[in-house]
Amino acid sequence: MAIVVNMPRLSDTMEEGTVAKWLKSVGDKIEEGDILAEIETDKATMEFESFNEGTLLHIGIPEGDTAPVDSLLAIIGDEGEDISALLGGGASVSESEAKSAEEEVVVEDNSEEVQGGGEIPEGVEIVKMPRLSDTMEEGTVASWLKKVGDDVEEGDILAEIETDKATMEFESFYNGKLLYIGIQEGESSPVDAVLAVIGPEGTDVDAVLSNKSGGAKKSVSKNTEKEEEKSSVASDNNEVSKSVADGERIFASPLAKKIAADKGIDLAKVSGSGDNGRIIKKDIENYTPSASPAPVAAPSVKTENAIASQPVSMALPSGEEGTEEVKNSNMRKAIAKALGNSKFNAPHFYLTIEVDMDNAKASRAQINSLPDTKVSFNDMVLKACAMALRKHPQVNTSWNGDTTKQHKHIHMGVAVAVDEGLVVPVVKHADLLGLTQIGSAVKDLAGKARNKKIAPSEMEGSTFTVSNLGMFGILEFTSIINQPNSAILSVGAIVEKPVVKNGEIVVGNTMKLTLACDHRTVDGAVGAQFLQTLRYFVENPVTMLA
């Protein structure tokens, strides 16, 4: 039976989407997990994957066109199937037909999970852990914004979910009461695990969950639900005070947290006006700090007596031993997995050179003297690497088992540190960009990465990576290759020191560059030749402007 695919809501504020690119054509075979299209939302351009299998029978929104959420995006079904009834003689589906098609999909999906012909009652929806990024395999519930027994309307934010790339708000697509929470705050579960159940009040949740296949789901009794609800209400009423007293998580939206961090505002001192006292954007914007002095804890009498009873000569410093385990975020686990695979699977070797930066400093000062122009040394290194890769294509490769991919394009990955770890935005076709264009692109991508607004597509496809720790005063270091790249360049700080020029000792400026190479694709001589060319461009910046 044909399945109607509607324009998805890919962000909490998305009302319409634009099809940036179709990756499948009418007549193509579709597998579950295949990327159908790239969709531009109000925040980013994201890949949209299929959750169904079959043949792509119809495309409802052409490339470049914009349509509201829930508009007909595509129809997937059996090859040769008649879909005229779904099209209704036009390019869009009527509301009743779309609703009917969606109900058919829900019934079909649930039928795979029900044992013995059991059915999910009408109006009850099982909400699963969503796939919020292209590489997401599991998610962690950072916080629940609704509790069991709350009324839920379509568009309400249910929870904040931490993926391997960011923490995102997850909204409800259904109306009803929140009957069951399957994943508690701080817990992680794979994609498609039962996240919650929404439906009419009085629904037998035990029966709904026990009918699901795969066994071993948490069963919940009505008494337990009531106890949890009471506990949840009590905790919500004391959310702010507990956050201050016990160091627990503060109930605030991601945007409020970001603005508070930028302004240096302590969230524990802000009163929330959102649901259940949740701190939202306007609370931060309207916050006025008070000038109350911090209380000083008085030492206990017992402690004072103990200290006084000891001879002065015997008084020794003492402290408490303590260890705290902090749960790894999904981003941290993803970084560990990727870098571990690279370090243990790719045979690394390292080559280091020291380059003269006198001309680079002079050229940068002259360039930046122009109006509305700002170029960094990192931009100059990126441009030099891109040009050197054009002359040494063996470095611009990827190991692929039985074959080696030789990339004709040059996409530069730029390592950027964020609060949760490290991300690598990609500057596409860097060899074709000028210094100011590279600088603008890096600034824009780094800003998006730090604000968690970067799209997955903006972090994919690099063919070479640059990591710069010079701004931290690091003179020299080695990096782990960002696979599937064959090499990564580590950039150190510029140092003023005595150097020999024309047989005389003079004051000069130097910088160390270390190239890490995958020996499966790049030999020592190839890496050395690449660094010679790179040195030439860095030491003679005018050649990059020719």
Side-chain angles (χ1 to χ4, degrees):
M1 178 178 293
I3 296 171
V4 173
V5 180
N6 292 330
M7 172 67 75
R9 189 187 301 274
L10 296 175
S11 78
D12 55 314
T13 58
M14 177 178 172
E15 296 181 356
E16 63 180 13
T18 301
V19 177
K21 183 179 181 181
W22 277 101
L23 303 182
K24 297 290 183 179
S25 304
V26 172
D28 286 354
K29 294 292 184 183
I30 307 296
E31 300 288 340
E32 183 177 351
D34 285 354
I35 305 300
L36 287 178
E38 293 178 355
I39 296 179
E40 182 181 344
T41 72
D42 58 335
K43 293 183 177 178
T45 300
M46 304 177 69
E47 292 181 339
F48 176 61
E49 69 179 62
S50 173
F51 298 97
N52 306 287
E53 298 180 353
T55 300
L56 183 57
L57 303 177
H58 175 74
I59 289 177
I61 305 173
E63 283 188 6
D65 283 7
T66 301
V69 169
D70 293 332
S71 299
L72 174 64
L73 180 65
I75 298 178
I76 298 173
D78 298 328
E79 188 173 0
E81 185 174 353
D82 183 9
I83 59 172
S84 57
L86 293 176
L87 294 175
S92 63
V93 170
S94 70
E95 185 175 348
S96 61
E97 288 173 334
K99 185 176 181 181
S100 173
E102 288 176 359
E103 289 174 352
E104 290 174 356
V105 175
V106 171
V107 171
E108 180 179 343
D109 288 344
N110 289 336
S111 66
E112 296 176 0
E113 300 180 344
V114 174
Q115 289 180 335
E119 296 182 356
I120 294 179
E122 183 178 356
V124 175
E125 301 291 347
I126 295 178
V127 182
K128 298 179 179 179
M129 174 65 74
R131 187 187 301 274
L132 297 174
S133 78
D134 55 318
T135 58
M136 177 177 172
E137 296 180 356
E138 66 175 14
T140 301
V141 176
S143 70
W144 277 101
L145 306 184
K146 296 287 184 180
K147 59 181 180 294
V148 172
D150 281 357
D151 289 323
V152 177
E153 295 184 2
E154 183 178 352
D156 284 354
I157 305 300
L158 284 179
E160 294 176 356
I161 296 178
E162 180 185 327
T163 73
D164 57 336
K165 294 182 177 177
T167 299
M168 304 175 67
E169 292 182 335
F170 176 61
E171 69 178 65
S172 172
F173 296 94
Y174 309 108
N175 298 321
K177 279 193 177 293
L178 183 56
L179 304 174
Y180 171 75
I181 288 177
I183 306 171
Q184 301 302 317
E185 287 189 2
E187 292 184 355
S188 300
S189 289
V191 170
D192 290 336
V194 176
L195 181 65
V197 177
I198 296 174
E201 188 172 7
T203 300
D204 187 351
V205 179
D206 283 341
V208 173
L209 295 176
S210 63
N211 279 336
K212 289 183 61 59
S213 66
K217 299 289 181 186
K218 291 182 184 176
S219 108
V220 118
S221 68
K222 294 181 180 177
N223 291 334
T224 304
E225 276 190 17
K226 290 179 180 177
E227 290 173 3
E228 289 179 351
E229 186 171 351
K230 290 178 182 177
S231 173
S232 181
V233 170
S235 65
D236 285 333
N237 291 336
N238 297 296
E239 185 69 38
V240 174
S241 62
K242 286 180 67 179
S243 298
V244 177
D246 301 333
E248 293 184 359
R249 187 179 183 280
I250 294 175
F251 206 43
S253 72
L255 182 56
K257 294 176 185 176
K258 174 64 174 60
I259 298 174
D262 292 341
K263 293 185 175 182
I265 296 175
D266 184 358
L267 285 173
K269 299 178 180 178
V270 181
S271 297
S273 62
D275 293 342
N276 300 317
R278 184 179 188 231
I279 299 171
I280 57 179
K281 176 184 176 183
K282 69 177 183 180
D283 299 325
I284 302 298
E285 293 176 338
N286 298 332
Y287 172 72
T288 302
S290 61
S292 57
V296 179
S300 66
V301 175
K302 182 178 179 181
T303 304
E304 288 177 342
N305 291 339
I307 295 174
S309 64
Q310 293 180 0
V312 175
S313 60
M314 296 298 293
L316 298 175
S318 62
E320 294 182 359
E321 294 184 358
T323 301
E324 180 185 1
E325 287 194 10
V326 179
K327 187 172 183 180
N328 291 325
S329 66
N330 287 338
M331 177 182 284
R332 194 74 257 167
K333 289 188 281 188
I335 292 171
K337 181 179 179 181
L339 295 184
N341 287 340
S342 176
K343 185 66 175 178
F344 301 137
N345 293 330
H348 288 52
F349 72 91
Y350 304 95
L351 303 170
T352 301
I353 60 172
E354 189 170 19
V355 297
D356 183 349
M357 294 297 290
D358 286 346
N359 288 339
K361 291 189 71 172
S363 297
R364 178 174 177 265
Q366 189 173 1
I367 293 171
N368 287 346
S369 67
L370 300 174
D372 302 323
T373 304
K374 184 69 174 177
V375 171
S376 69
F377 289 113
N378 197 58
D379 302 332
M380 300 174 79
V381 172
L382 287 169
K383 177 64 176 178
C385 286
M387 296 181 68
L389 287 170
R390 182 61 65 197
K391 293 183 176 294
H392 301 278
Q394 306 96 314
V395 183
N396 196 46
T397 57
S398 298
W399 176 260
N400 196 35
D402 294 333
T403 62
T404 296
K405 292 183 178 179
Q406 296 183 339
H407 305 295
K408 304 297 183 183
H409 56 278
I410 295 174
H411 292 349
M412 301 294 297
V414 184
V416 175
V418 296
D419 292 340
E420 293 82 6
L422 184 73
V423 295
V424 185
V426 179
V427 178
K428 306 290 179 69
H429 305 291
D431 58 319
L432 305 179
L433 301 178
L435 286 173
T436 55
Q437 291 174 310
I438 290 176
S440 297
V442 171
K443 184 178 179 181
D444 179 58
L445 291 169
K448 288 182 179 179
R450 294 189 180 102
N451 294 326
K452 299 181 180 179
K453 301 295 183 184
I454 192 166
S457 59
E458 293 174 310
M459 296 186 288
E460 297 172 349
S462 67
T463 61
F464 186 89
T465 303
V466 172
S467 179
N468 191 339
L469 294 179
M471 69 284 293
F472 298 108
I474 302 301
L475 303 183
E476 179 183 0
F477 68 104
T478 60
S479 301
I480 298 175
I481 296 170
N482 178 36
Q483 290 192 333
N485 300 173
S486 285
I488 182 171
L489 185 75
S490 305
V491 182
I494 298 175
V495 179
E496 188 177 57
K497 68 175 189 178
V499 297
V500 178
K501 288 187 177 182
N502 300 321
E504 296 182 354
I505 297 177
V506 296
V507 176
N509 295 276
T510 65
M511 178 176 69
K512 288 188 177 180
L513 303 174
T514 300
L515 184 70
C517 302
D518 184 343
H519 218 323
R520 296 174 299 181
T521 51
V522 180
D523 292 329
V526 172
Q529 291 164 3
F530 170 83
L531 285 178
Q532 285 181 338
T533 303
L534 179 61
R535 180 205 297 274
Y536 174 77
F537 285 127
V538 173
E539 292 184 346
N540 302 279
V542 67
T543 59
M544 296 189 285
L545 305 176

